[in-house]
Amino acid sequence: MSKTLVAYFSASGTTKRAAEKLASAVEGDLYEIKPAVPYTHADLNWQDSHSRSSVEMNDPSSRPKLADKNADIPGRDRIFLGFPIWWYTAPTIVRTFLESYDFTGKTIVLFATSGGSGMGNICTELASSCPGARIADGRMLNGRIPEEKLKQWAEKVG
């Protein structure tokens, strides 16, 4: 088993593709963060203030339930954690994931995908959800990034 885990949440498949490529580059295992109730296309309509994603993102205490809690965190030293950027931050289900495990002594490296937003202060924002972990500033993994560049980045961040 690899000491590296690439965990990701993907609503449309974009982050999933980035996570798969990263897992290959770092020779890490892949784990998909799945909601107990999958998101529909209507749920993801950010222009609808009543859509599920809009309601969740407007409620700081929102913690969507996970489909499972089977990520092998204890056996890992480094966890790459990926997600799409929603409303300039991580989707609330990412906090659910972080709060469901003990990350003490682990290094968490963030990566994200977005049509136009950057990482902003996400690293600082998520720190309270994983006390005892070291969160490393990550990067956007949009587009086609060569595997060699991903390996070089991964070696630098942890």
Side-chain angles (χ1 to χ4, degrees), residues 5 15 22 27 70 97 116 147:
L5 180 69
T15 306
L22 179 59
E27 298 177 7
N70 299 330
F97 173 76
E147 191 168 305

Side-chain angles (χ1 to χ4, degrees), residues 17-28:
R17 288 187 292 278
E20 289 171 341
K21 194 168 191 177
L22 179 59
S24 175
V26 299
E27 298 177 7

